[in-house]
Amino acid sequence: MKVLKFGGTSLASPERIKLVAKTVQKHLKEDKTLVVFSAFGGVTNDLLKMADLASKEDLAYKELLVKNEKRHLEAVKELIPVQAQSSILSKVKTELNRLETLYEGVYLLNELSNKTRHVVSGFGEVLSSLIIAEYFKNLGVNSQYVDSRELIVCKNTNEKVQVNYQLTNAHIEKYFAEKDASLFIAPGFVSRNEQGVPSTLGRGGSDFTAALYGAALDVKEVLIYTDVNGMYTANPQIVPHAYPLKDISYQEAMELSHFGAKVLYPPTLQPLLDKQISIRIKNTFKPDEDGTLISRSSEKNFRWVTGITHIDSIKLLNIEGSGMVGIPGFSKRFFEVLFLENINVVLITQASSEHSICIAVKDDEAELAKEALDEAFEVEIQYKKIKPVEIEENVAIVALVGDRMKSHHGLSGKMFSALGNNNINIRAIAQGSSERNISAVIAKKDVKKALNTLHEQFFEVPSKELNLFITGVGNVGSKLLNQLKKQEKFLLENLRLKVRVHGLSNSRKMLFDENGIDLQNWEKALEKGEKADKAEFFKKVDSFNLRNSIFVDNTASAEISAWYKEYLANSVSVVTCNKIACADSFENYQELQNLAREYGASFLYETNVGAGLPIIDTLKNLVASGDRITKIQAVLSGSLNFVFNTYKAEEPFYKTVEKAMEEGYTEPDPKIDLSGVDVARKILILARESGQKMELEDIESEDFLSEESLATTNNEDFFELLKKDEPKFQEIYRSAEEKGEQLKYVAQLENGKAVVGLQSVDAQHPFYNLSGSDNIVLFFTERYPEQPLIVKGAGAGAEVTASGIFADVIRIGKK
Ligand code: ADP
Ligand code: ASP
Ligand code: MG
């Protein structure tokens, strides 16, 4: 005999049931088969919901009932030929009428007992199995419907399901000794109690039904068919990189399922353990995949950690006070109270000072536990020896599970530092004495991040995920997106970095995708995105709560740089080519640095000076290695350099500026470059990076533009005045040319003083041959007193700026 079970997800539609039938028929070719069926997907939830609605006198239960009636009747019509429908239709209708009567009773009495919940919730399995049994009959299979309610008996306990194995086994053995058929079809989940009242085996209990049949019939293996390829290293619905485990031990499976791997109902293994019957979990929709084998040992696959799970339906209870310290028997009393109330303690921790005990219990048992404990310790509470029990909500447990964890040290350290590095706060920690499980209590909102972080840490080829949120997709931003797309494979293969973009925004629209935006088609998708809003953008980044999140600013907007603090204070790194923040007040600059340090985020702005050239990085390294900067001399404006290298007085000056603008060598407002403000900001940043406390006002600027043109407020007016001032530009040009010199806009920092201005330099000067939009920086330091350390190269342009931002992103990845 074979025993199989198909879960609700495999039975969500008649098409799926037809697929299930194919698999069943394959098994039938090999042996007689018993198949346990769950309710059609979602039906049990509806049945319980209807009961709740009816008990609250909400007539909406009737609509839901009609919907479910329709669903079952349609399944009959879809699966069974018309001429053969009448008997099954009447059976189905009889069950539905019973159900309706029960709900009416609940509605009228305004009362929903636990017993009634058990009774109504089992109808889904009965209905699905009756229909499927009839379907097989009509396919010509010699089949028999087995009413599990007649065979499986539960003990009469308050809440917890306990099977009366003696009676159950006897019933099953007798039944199958007497009946003959090729295929037996039985509803899962349902049972009866010792008085004969219908009950169930608990949510998810159809797995257990299959195990009970399998054990009583002494089969070799029980097959559980579900909607995934087996038991995974983590819930594949939450952790995209999780993968199915080939084979695991009973203990590992038990621990994984107890700690939230819903794919297997925890008590399922109980009846199979003694007889060493194995379980195989397989995918209904991919029946050729091996799935997961659960058996006595998992010697073949050596691993320290088997899987990662979570439970999010818990609350923490905390009891503390001096009255607990050194009092023998306190814990005994504490746990006795919980035992008497039949409350299951999911996790326990006690500080070694014995000053507090912290436990996790199921959501719906927390209030009861608190009441019972507060009552039991009433006197101690009254005399302020201990405080009343505190309940903490919105928490979850994440757990690392593995048979061999006990013989390997350092795992918990790795686990907690991985969580800590991702800014996930740990509320409590516990390691089961079996050491098959290390659990941490964290905030519910962090579960997804924690599971993915731990999975990456323990199961994936070491690689790091970088999650980008990019604002500004113009010249620089679009180049950056291109580069990211191009380098995706290289980064993964060579640097083990997985870079994904989850958010994009320009000034009009924004776009988000938790799974990563397709970088091939981002432009169209962004056009269809929602209205851009800086506060909403931040909220979205915060709510995604992804590890290694990076906010990238490719704009020149002060409104955007005003948000950096929020990002950093939420452990989101900031990479920016926008100079405003770093060139703002020293206080602001310092606050950003401090926030980054405090919240473990990076704040990188290499492109603020010299686009992609490693200027700030070089300076930081000099300072960090103990060198002292004595002088910096630099040409820092790619735009001005381009302008003065191109301007030969043959074409008017304003045309040259226009050209620089078109080529992307200037800021959107070219006056920022031409006025020298941009250069002043850059030397200011270099001054600060070399350890000086300086403000923008401290920088002396020697203007070559007229005051009038500096005062303009739009590009049109500005260009008009440039046209007007042409003779002056010609004169500047000619006087340098006559001396055989070149015009360069130079920034200099020496003895705590910074100056920027136009200079003409002779042929011997290192600046003389600077071409195009190149930048050059000469660092004179204690180690480089005569021959400066020189960084030189293309210092402007969208492509190099984008690659500088890219380099900052990678710096974070390597951290
Ligand atoms: P069925 O209806 O077949 O009984 P369930 O919904 O009860 O299916 O269980 C299957 C689901 O269990 C999967 O779709 C998945 O979301 C969830 N799950 C949670 N943890 C794991 C895990 N470690 N491996 C596989 N599935 C898991
Ligand atoms: N249908 C029941 C439930 O949803 C039992 C099961 O699916 O295993 O809990
Ligand atoms: Mg299930």
Side-chain angles (χ1 to χ4, degrees), residues 5-10 38-39 41 204 206-207 224-238 242-245 256 260-265 281 284 307-310:
K5 175 252 167 177
F6 287 89
T9 43
S10 310
S38 287
S206 295
D207 301 335
I224 307 269
Y225 282 92
T226 181
D227 62 342
V228 288
N229 283 350
M231 204 155 204
Y232 280 60
T233 46
N235 186 346
Q237 245 71 279
I238 306 178
Y243 53 84
L245 294 153
L256 283 169
K262 184 190 168 216
V263 66
L264 191 68
Y265 182 49
I281 302 180
T284 306
I308 297 160
T309 54
H310 82 287

mmCIF file of all heavy atoms in Angstrom, residues 5-10 38-39 41 204 206-207 224-238 242-245 256 260-265 281 284 307-310, ligand 1:
data_model
loop_
_atom_site.group_PDB
_atom_site.id
_atom_site.type_symbol
_atom_site.label_atom_id
_atom_site.label_comp_id
_atom_site.label_asym_id
_atom_site.label_seq_id
_atom_site.Cartn_x
_atom_site.Cartn_y
_atom_site.Cartn_z
ATOM 1 N N LYS A 5 -0.529 12.286 0.181
ATOM 2 C CA LYS A 5 -1.400 13.371 0.629
ATOM 3 C C LYS A 5 -1.233 14.569 -0.302
ATOM 4 O O LYS A 5 -0.106 14.917 -0.672
ATOM 5 C CB LYS A 5 -1.043 13.765 2.068
ATOM 6 C CG LYS A 5 -1.802 14.969 2.593
ATOM 7 C CD LYS A 5 -0.935 16.193 2.703
ATOM 8 C CE LYS A 5 -1.731 17.459 2.914
ATOM 9 N NZ LYS A 5 -0.905 18.640 3.092
ATOM 10 N N PHE A 6 -2.343 15.153 -0.677
ATOM 11 C CA PHE A 6 -2.294 16.377 -1.496
ATOM 12 C C PHE A 6 -2.863 17.537 -0.697
ATOM 13 O O PHE A 6 -3.974 17.454 -0.170
ATOM 14 C CB PHE A 6 -3.083 16.191 -2.797
ATOM 15 C CG PHE A 6 -2.389 15.296 -3.775
ATOM 16 C CD1 PHE A 6 -2.604 13.923 -3.732
ATOM 17 C CD2 PHE A 6 -1.497 15.801 -4.703
ATOM 18 C CE1 PHE A 6 -1.936 13.077 -4.612
ATOM 19 C CE2 PHE A 6 -0.834 14.966 -5.586
ATOM 20 C CZ PHE A 6 -1.045 13.598 -5.544
ATOM 21 N N GLY A 7 -2.109 18.619 -0.613
ATOM 22 C CA GLY A 7 -2.525 19.788 0.168
ATOM 23 C C GLY A 7 -3.487 20.683 -0.595
ATOM 24 O O GLY A 7 -3.679 20.522 -1.809
ATOM 25 N N GLY A 8 -4.048 21.616 0.136
ATOM 26 C CA GLY A 8 -5.058 22.515 -0.433
ATOM 27 C C GLY A 8 -4.569 23.294 -1.643
ATOM 28 O O GLY A 8 -5.309 23.524 -2.599
ATOM 29 N N THR A 9 -3.277 23.662 -1.594
ATOM 30 C CA THR A 9 -2.743 24.436 -2.719
ATOM 31 C C THR A 9 -2.751 23.603 -4.005
ATOM 32 O O THR A 9 -2.851 24.156 -5.090
ATOM 33 C CB THR A 9 -1.294 24.863 -2.414
ATOM 34 O OG1 THR A 9 -0.627 23.751 -1.847
ATOM 35 C CG2 THR A 9 -1.264 26.029 -1.465
ATOM 36 N N SER A 10 -2.661 22.277 -3.857
ATOM 37 C CA SER A 10 -2.669 21.410 -5.045
ATOM 38 C C SER A 10 -4.087 21.221 -5.570
ATOM 39 O O SER A 10 -4.291 20.635 -6.623
ATOM 40 C CB SER A 10 -2.103 20.034 -4.696
ATOM 41 O OG SER A 10 -0.894 20.166 -4.023
ATOM 42 N N SER A 38 -6.643 17.376 1.351
ATOM 43 C CA SER A 38 -7.028 18.557 2.134
ATOM 44 C C SER A 38 -8.268 19.163 1.503
ATOM 45 O O SER A 38 -8.710 18.726 0.444
ATOM 46 C CB SER A 38 -5.933 19.615 2.054
ATOM 47 O OG SER A 38 -4.834 19.259 2.804
ATOM 48 N N ALA A 39 -8.759 20.203 2.141
ATOM 49 C CA ALA A 39 -9.850 20.977 1.548
ATOM 50 C C ALA A 39 -9.309 21.725 0.341
ATOM 51 O O ALA A 39 -8.094 21.942 0.230
ATOM 52 C CB ALA A 39 -10.371 21.961 2.574
ATOM 53 N N GLY A 41 -8.018 24.683 -1.713
ATOM 54 C CA GLY A 41 -7.231 25.794 -1.154
ATOM 55 C C GLY A 41 -8.086 26.957 -0.663
ATOM 56 O O GLY A 41 -8.926 27.467 -1.399
ATOM 57 N N GLY A 204 -3.541 22.673 9.390
ATOM 58 C CA GLY A 204 -2.452 22.030 8.647
ATOM 59 C C GLY A 204 -2.412 20.529 8.880
ATOM 60 O O GLY A 204 -1.475 19.851 8.464
ATOM 61 N N SER A 206 -3.797 17.831 7.778
ATOM 62 C CA SER A 206 -3.922 16.740 6.796
ATOM 63 C C SER A 206 -2.620 15.951 6.647
ATOM 64 O O SER A 206 -2.643 14.758 6.349
ATOM 65 C CB SER A 206 -4.326 17.285 5.430
ATOM 66 O OG SER A 206 -5.602 17.845 5.519
ATOM 67 N N ASP A 207 -1.503 16.629 6.854
ATOM 68 C CA ASP A 207 -0.209 15.917 6.808
ATOM 69 C C ASP A 207 -0.206 14.818 7.872
ATOM 70 O O ASP A 207 0.235 13.694 7.652
ATOM 71 C CB ASP A 207 0.956 16.875 7.122
ATOM 72 C CG ASP A 207 1.049 18.046 6.165
ATOM 73 O OD1 ASP A 207 0.573 17.913 5.027
ATOM 74 O OD2 ASP A 207 1.601 19.095 6.573
ATOM 75 N N ILE A 224 4.057 13.427 0.665
ATOM 76 C CA ILE A 224 3.269 14.648 0.857
ATOM 77 C C ILE A 224 3.452 15.516 -0.377
ATOM 78 O O ILE A 224 4.575 15.979 -0.644
ATOM 79 C CB ILE A 224 3.774 15.432 2.093
ATOM 80 C CG1 ILE A 224 3.817 14.546 3.320
ATOM 81 C CG2 ILE A 224 2.984 16.714 2.304
ATOM 82 C CD1 ILE A 224 2.604 14.511 4.172
ATOM 83 N N TYR A 225 2.388 15.746 -1.109
ATOM 84 C CA TYR A 225 2.462 16.619 -2.291
ATOM 85 C C TYR A 225 1.971 18.018 -1.942
ATOM 86 O O TYR A 225 0.896 18.174 -1.393
ATOM 87 C CB TYR A 225 1.600 16.056 -3.420
ATOM 88 C CG TYR A 225 2.250 14.906 -4.156
ATOM 89 C CD1 TYR A 225 2.027 13.589 -3.768
ATOM 90 C CD2 TYR A 225 3.091 15.142 -5.235
ATOM 91 C CE1 TYR A 225 2.624 12.527 -4.442
ATOM 92 C CE2 TYR A 225 3.696 14.099 -5.914
ATOM 93 C CZ TYR A 225 3.471 12.797 -5.520
ATOM 94 O OH TYR A 225 4.072 11.766 -6.193
ATOM 95 N N THR A 226 2.799 18.999 -2.279
ATOM 96 C CA THR A 226 2.429 20.377 -1.956
ATOM 97 C C THR A 226 2.780 21.307 -3.121
ATOM 98 O O THR A 226 2.954 20.830 -4.249
ATOM 99 C CB THR A 226 3.089 20.793 -0.619
ATOM 100 O OG1 THR A 226 2.708 22.119 -0.311
ATOM 101 C CG2 THR A 226 4.609 20.709 -0.689
ATOM 102 N N ASP A 227 2.893 22.603 -2.853
ATOM 103 C CA ASP A 227 3.111 23.529 -3.968
ATOM 104 C C ASP A 227 4.564 23.973 -4.121
ATOM 105 O O ASP A 227 4.860 24.892 -4.861
ATOM 106 C CB ASP A 227 2.206 24.763 -3.824
ATOM 107 C CG ASP A 227 2.503 25.560 -2.568
ATOM 108 O OD1 ASP A 227 3.139 25.001 -1.643
ATOM 109 O OD2 ASP A 227 2.101 26.738 -2.489
ATOM 110 N N VAL A 228 5.471 23.359 -3.353
ATOM 111 C CA VAL A 228 6.892 23.688 -3.509
ATOM 112 C C VAL A 228 7.697 22.386 -3.613
ATOM 113 O O VAL A 228 7.193 21.316 -3.278
ATOM 114 C CB VAL A 228 7.425 24.548 -2.325
ATOM 115 C CG1 VAL A 228 6.882 25.954 -2.398
ATOM 116 C CG2 VAL A 228 7.078 23.919 -0.979
ATOM 117 N N ASN A 229 8.964 22.513 -4.040
ATOM 118 C CA ASN A 229 9.782 21.325 -4.322
ATOM 119 C C ASN A 229 10.322 20.608 -3.101
ATOM 120 O O ASN A 229 11.401 20.049 -3.155
ATOM 121 C CB ASN A 229 10.983 21.729 -5.177
ATOM 122 C CG ASN A 229 10.595 21.934 -6.610
ATOM 123 O OD1 ASN A 229 9.469 21.592 -6.992
ATOM 124 N ND2 ASN A 229 11.483 22.496 -7.410
ATOM 125 N N GLY A 230 9.666 20.705 -1.974
ATOM 126 C CA GLY A 230 10.159 20.005 -0.796
ATOM 127 C C GLY A 230 10.314 20.961 0.360
ATOM 128 O O GLY A 230 9.741 22.058 0.371
ATOM 129 N N MET A 231 11.116 20.512 1.329
ATOM 130 C CA MET A 231 11.401 21.382 2.459
ATOM 131 C C MET A 231 12.640 22.197 2.075
ATOM 132 O O MET A 231 13.661 21.624 1.700
ATOM 133 C CB MET A 231 11.680 20.539 3.689
ATOM 134 C CG MET A 231 11.425 21.246 4.958
ATOM 135 S SD MET A 231 11.063 20.033 6.226
ATOM 136 C CE MET A 231 10.122 20.946 7.379
ATOM 137 N N TYR A 232 12.529 23.493 2.175
ATOM 138 C CA TYR A 232 13.593 24.377 1.727
ATOM 139 C C TYR A 232 14.468 24.841 2.887
ATOM 140 O O TYR A 232 14.073 24.751 4.050
ATOM 141 C CB TYR A 232 12.995 25.614 1.047
ATOM 142 C CG TYR A 232 12.560 25.411 -0.380
ATOM 143 C CD1 TYR A 232 11.591 24.472 -0.699
ATOM 144 C CD2 TYR A 232 13.102 26.174 -1.399
ATOM 145 C CE1 TYR A 232 11.176 24.301 -2.015
ATOM 146 C CE2 TYR A 232 12.692 26.012 -2.718
ATOM 147 C CZ TYR A 232 11.723 25.077 -3.020
ATOM 148 O OH TYR A 232 11.322 24.916 -4.310
ATOM 149 N N THR A 233 15.618 25.377 2.514
ATOM 150 C CA THR A 233 16.513 25.957 3.520
ATOM 151 C C THR A 233 15.835 27.114 4.260
ATOM 152 O O THR A 233 16.206 27.444 5.375
ATOM 153 C CB THR A 233 17.794 26.486 2.843
ATOM 154 O OG1 THR A 233 17.392 27.242 1.685
ATOM 155 C CG2 THR A 233 18.694 25.352 2.409
ATOM 156 N N ALA A 234 14.838 27.727 3.621
ATOM 157 C CA ALA A 234 14.009 28.764 4.261
ATOM 158 C C ALA A 234 12.744 28.874 3.431
ATOM 159 O O ALA A 234 12.710 28.357 2.309
ATOM 160 C CB ALA A 234 14.747 30.099 4.296
ATOM 161 N N ASN A 235 11.746 29.536 3.976
ATOM 162 C CA ASN A 235 10.496 29.644 3.224
ATOM 163 C C ASN A 235 10.733 30.310 1.859
ATOM 164 O O ASN A 235 11.095 31.471 1.788
ATOM 165 C CB ASN A 235 9.495 30.463 4.036
ATOM 166 C CG ASN A 235 8.131 30.497 3.366
ATOM 167 O OD1 ASN A 235 7.990 30.134 2.204
ATOM 168 N ND2 ASN A 235 7.129 30.929 4.114
ATOM 169 N N PRO A 236 10.541 29.554 0.772
ATOM 170 C CA PRO A 236 10.861 30.110 -0.549
ATOM 171 C C PRO A 236 9.986 31.309 -0.925
ATOM 172 O O PRO A 236 10.353 32.084 -1.799
ATOM 173 C CB PRO A 236 10.613 28.945 -1.504
ATOM 174 C CG PRO A 236 9.726 28.000 -0.759
ATOM 175 C CD PRO A 236 10.022 28.179 0.684
ATOM 176 N N GLN A 237 8.855 31.421 -0.232
ATOM 177 C CA GLN A 237 7.983 32.567 -0.514
ATOM 178 C C GLN A 237 8.622 33.866 -0.010
ATOM 179 O O GLN A 237 8.320 34.944 -0.488
ATOM 180 C CB GLN A 237 6.655 32.359 0.211
ATOM 181 C CG GLN A 237 5.439 32.175 -0.670
ATOM 182 C CD GLN A 237 5.380 30.859 -1.416
ATOM 183 O OE1 GLN A 237 6.024 30.766 -2.446
ATOM 184 N NE2 GLN A 237 4.647 29.873 -0.921
ATOM 185 N N ILE A 238 9.484 33.755 1.000
ATOM 186 C CA ILE A 238 10.091 34.958 1.594
ATOM 187 C C ILE A 238 11.565 35.108 1.200
ATOM 188 O O ILE A 238 12.076 36.211 1.081
ATOM 189 C CB ILE A 238 9.988 34.904 3.133
ATOM 190 C CG1 ILE A 238 8.524 34.683 3.538
ATOM 191 C CG2 ILE A 238 10.513 36.185 3.773
ATOM 192 C CD1 ILE A 238 8.316 34.576 5.018
ATOM 193 N N ALA A 242 16.322 30.589 -1.366
ATOM 194 C CA ALA A 242 16.230 29.317 -0.642
ATOM 195 C C ALA A 242 16.186 28.170 -1.646
ATOM 196 O O ALA A 242 15.751 28.347 -2.775
ATOM 197 C CB ALA A 242 14.967 29.309 0.208
ATOM 198 N N TYR A 243 16.666 26.999 -1.235
ATOM 199 C CA TYR A 243 16.620 25.846 -2.146
ATOM 200 C C TYR A 243 16.176 24.602 -1.381
ATOM 201 O O TYR A 243 16.342 24.521 -0.166
ATOM 202 C CB TYR A 243 17.977 25.639 -2.825
ATOM 203 C CG TYR A 243 19.144 25.548 -1.885
ATOM 204 C CD1 TYR A 243 19.492 24.350 -1.273
ATOM 205 C CD2 TYR A 243 19.901 26.682 -1.595
ATOM 206 C CE1 TYR A 243 20.564 24.283 -0.401
ATOM 207 C CE2 TYR A 243 20.969 26.619 -0.715
ATOM 208 C CZ TYR A 243 21.297 25.418 -0.124
ATOM 209 O OH TYR A 243 22.344 25.358 0.749
ATOM 210 N N PRO A 244 15.609 23.613 -2.079
ATOM 211 C CA PRO A 244 15.088 22.433 -1.381
ATOM 212 C C PRO A 244 16.216 21.560 -0.840
ATOM 213 O O PRO A 244 17.253 21.405 -1.489
ATOM 214 C CB PRO A 244 14.290 21.698 -2.454
ATOM 215 C CG PRO A 244 14.598 22.330 -3.746
ATOM 216 C CD PRO A 244 15.341 23.604 -3.531
ATOM 217 N N LEU A 245 15.982 21.006 0.343
ATOM 218 C CA LEU A 245 16.969 20.123 0.958
ATOM 219 C C LEU A 245 16.724 18.718 0.424
ATOM 220 O O LEU A 245 15.585 18.267 0.367
ATOM 221 C CB LEU A 245 16.785 20.152 2.471
ATOM 222 C CG LEU A 245 17.112 21.502 3.113
ATOM 223 C CD1 LEU A 245 16.322 21.700 4.399
ATOM 224 C CD2 LEU A 245 18.606 21.576 3.373
ATOM 225 N N LEU A 256 12.505 22.230 12.213
ATOM 226 C CA LEU A 256 12.148 23.228 11.192
ATOM 227 C C LEU A 256 10.638 23.479 11.209
ATOM 228 O O LEU A 256 10.185 24.613 11.147
ATOM 229 C CB LEU A 256 12.567 22.750 9.794
ATOM 230 C CG LEU A 256 14.040 22.860 9.435
ATOM 231 C CD1 LEU A 256 14.349 22.118 8.137
ATOM 232 C CD2 LEU A 256 14.446 24.327 9.275
ATOM 233 N N GLY A 260 8.240 26.957 12.373
ATOM 234 C CA GLY A 260 7.569 27.764 11.361
ATOM 235 C C GLY A 260 7.604 27.285 9.927
ATOM 236 O O GLY A 260 6.988 27.918 9.082
ATOM 237 N N ALA A 261 8.339 26.196 9.610
ATOM 238 C CA ALA A 261 8.296 25.725 8.216
ATOM 239 C C ALA A 261 6.945 25.055 7.986
ATOM 240 O O ALA A 261 6.759 23.873 8.236
ATOM 241 C CB ALA A 261 9.447 24.768 7.939
ATOM 242 N N LYS A 262 6.010 25.845 7.500
ATOM 243 C CA LYS A 262 4.608 25.434 7.411
ATOM 244 C C LYS A 262 4.406 24.239 6.496
ATOM 245 O O LYS A 262 3.372 23.565 6.537
ATOM 246 C CB LYS A 262 3.823 26.647 6.886
ATOM 247 C CG LYS A 262 2.353 26.455 6.814
ATOM 248 C CD LYS A 262 1.708 27.610 6.061
ATOM 249 C CE LYS A 262 0.273 27.271 5.740
ATOM 250 N NZ LYS A 262 -0.124 27.811 4.448
ATOM 251 N N VAL A 263 5.374 23.970 5.670
ATOM 252 C CA VAL A 263 5.236 22.906 4.680
ATOM 253 C C VAL A 263 4.953 21.543 5.330
ATOM 254 O O VAL A 263 4.389 20.656 4.701
ATOM 255 C CB VAL A 263 6.489 22.875 3.760
ATOM 256 C CG1 VAL A 263 7.730 22.481 4.532
ATOM 257 C CG2 VAL A 263 6.281 22.002 2.559
ATOM 258 N N LEU A 264 5.281 21.393 6.601
ATOM 259 C CA LEU A 264 4.973 20.137 7.294
ATOM 260 C C LEU A 264 4.379 20.459 8.665
ATOM 261 O O LEU A 264 4.965 21.216 9.437
ATOM 262 C CB LEU A 264 6.258 19.319 7.470
ATOM 263 C CG LEU A 264 6.060 17.893 7.939
ATOM 264 C CD1 LEU A 264 5.386 17.061 6.853
ATOM 265 C CD2 LEU A 264 7.391 17.246 8.310
ATOM 266 N N TYR A 265 3.225 19.858 8.933
ATOM 267 C CA TYR A 265 2.563 20.080 10.221
ATOM 268 C C TYR A 265 3.390 19.394 11.314
ATOM 269 O O TYR A 265 3.679 18.186 11.206
ATOM 270 C CB TYR A 265 1.150 19.511 10.126
ATOM 271 C CG TYR A 265 0.292 19.678 11.345
ATOM 272 C CD1 TYR A 265 0.162 20.913 11.983
ATOM 273 C CD2 TYR A 265 -0.425 18.592 11.862
ATOM 274 C CE1 TYR A 265 -0.652 21.052 13.094
ATOM 275 C CE2 TYR A 265 -1.249 18.741 12.970
ATOM 276 C CZ TYR A 265 -1.357 19.975 13.578
ATOM 277 O OH TYR A 265 -2.155 20.122 14.679
ATOM 278 N N ILE A 281 8.590 14.873 0.677
ATOM 279 C CA ILE A 281 7.765 16.022 0.312
ATOM 280 C C ILE A 281 8.032 16.355 -1.136
ATOM 281 O O ILE A 281 9.192 16.532 -1.543
ATOM 282 C CB ILE A 281 8.084 17.237 1.209
ATOM 283 C CG1 ILE A 281 7.841 16.852 2.658
ATOM 284 C CG2 ILE A 281 7.222 18.428 0.824
ATOM 285 C CD1 ILE A 281 8.123 17.949 3.651
ATOM 286 N N THR A 284 3.482 18.949 -6.375
ATOM 287 C CA THR A 284 2.393 18.452 -7.228
ATOM 288 C C THR A 284 2.592 18.881 -8.675
ATOM 289 O O THR A 284 2.254 18.155 -9.605
ATOM 290 C CB THR A 284 1.052 19.045 -6.738
ATOM 291 O OG1 THR A 284 0.935 18.748 -5.357
ATOM 292 C CG2 THR A 284 -0.119 18.483 -7.486
ATOM 293 N N GLY A 307 18.447 24.667 8.123
ATOM 294 C CA GLY A 307 17.476 25.621 7.593
ATOM 295 C C GLY A 307 17.281 26.801 8.517
ATOM 296 O O GLY A 307 17.798 26.841 9.637
ATOM 297 N N ILE A 308 16.519 27.753 8.011
ATOM 298 C CA ILE A 308 16.220 28.964 8.770
ATOM 299 C C ILE A 308 14.710 29.148 8.758
ATOM 300 O O ILE A 308 14.089 29.043 7.695
ATOM 301 C CB ILE A 308 16.878 30.185 8.096
ATOM 302 C CG1 ILE A 308 18.389 30.009 8.125
ATOM 303 C CG2 ILE A 308 16.493 31.471 8.776
ATOM 304 C CD1 ILE A 308 19.085 30.861 7.115
ATOM 305 N N THR A 309 14.147 29.371 9.928
ATOM 306 C CA THR A 309 12.686 29.475 9.971
ATOM 307 C C THR A 309 12.286 30.695 10.783
ATOM 308 O O THR A 309 13.122 31.353 11.392
ATOM 309 C CB THR A 309 12.086 28.253 10.672
ATOM 310 O OG1 THR A 309 12.706 28.136 11.936
ATOM 311 C CG2 THR A 309 12.284 26.998 9.874
ATOM 312 N N HIS A 310 10.993 30.935 10.808
ATOM 313 C CA HIS A 310 10.512 31.989 11.696
ATOM 314 C C HIS A 310 9.093 31.701 12.158
ATOM 315 O O HIS A 310 8.354 30.962 11.501
ATOM 316 C CB HIS A 310 10.572 33.352 10.994
ATOM 317 C CG HIS A 310 9.403 33.619 10.100
ATOM 318 N ND1 HIS A 310 9.238 32.982 8.896
ATOM 319 C CD2 HIS A 310 8.341 34.445 10.257
ATOM 320 C CE1 HIS A 310 8.137 33.413 8.329
ATOM 321 N NE2 HIS A 310 7.560 34.299 9.125
HETATM 322 P P1 ADP B 1 -0.372 22.486 1.562
HETATM 323 O O1 ADP B 1 -1.611 23.220 1.188
HETATM 324 O O2 ADP B 1 0.186 21.671 0.455
HETATM 325 O O3 ADP B 1 -0.466 21.754 2.849
HETATM 326 P P2 ADP B 1 1.061 24.566 2.948
HETATM 327 O O4 ADP B 1 0.655 25.917 2.548
HETATM 328 O O5 ADP B 1 0.537 24.024 4.222
HETATM 329 O O6 ADP B 1 0.710 23.625 1.710
HETATM 330 O O7 ADP B 1 2.656 24.446 2.973
HETATM 331 C C1 ADP B 1 3.436 24.834 1.851
HETATM 332 C C2 ADP B 1 3.998 26.209 2.078
HETATM 333 O O8 ADP B 1 4.872 26.201 3.199
HETATM 334 C C3 ADP B 1 4.872 26.723 0.992
HETATM 335 O O9 ADP B 1 4.127 27.285 -0.063
HETATM 336 C C4 ADP B 1 5.740 27.755 1.693
HETATM 337 O O10 ADP B 1 5.193 29.013 1.585
HETATM 338 C C5 ADP B 1 5.640 27.376 3.170
HETATM 339 N N1 ADP B 1 6.962 27.145 3.778
HETATM 340 C C6 ADP B 1 7.396 27.735 4.913
HETATM 341 N N2 ADP B 1 8.639 27.346 5.215
HETATM 342 C C7 ADP B 1 9.013 26.477 4.251
HETATM 343 C C8 ADP B 1 10.195 25.722 4.003
HETATM 344 N N3 ADP B 1 11.254 25.776 4.828
HETATM 345 N N4 ADP B 1 10.244 24.942 2.913
HETATM 346 C C9 ADP B 1 9.187 24.876 2.074
HETATM 347 N N5 ADP B 1 8.044 25.569 2.262
HETATM 348 C C10 ADP B 1 7.945 26.360 3.329
#
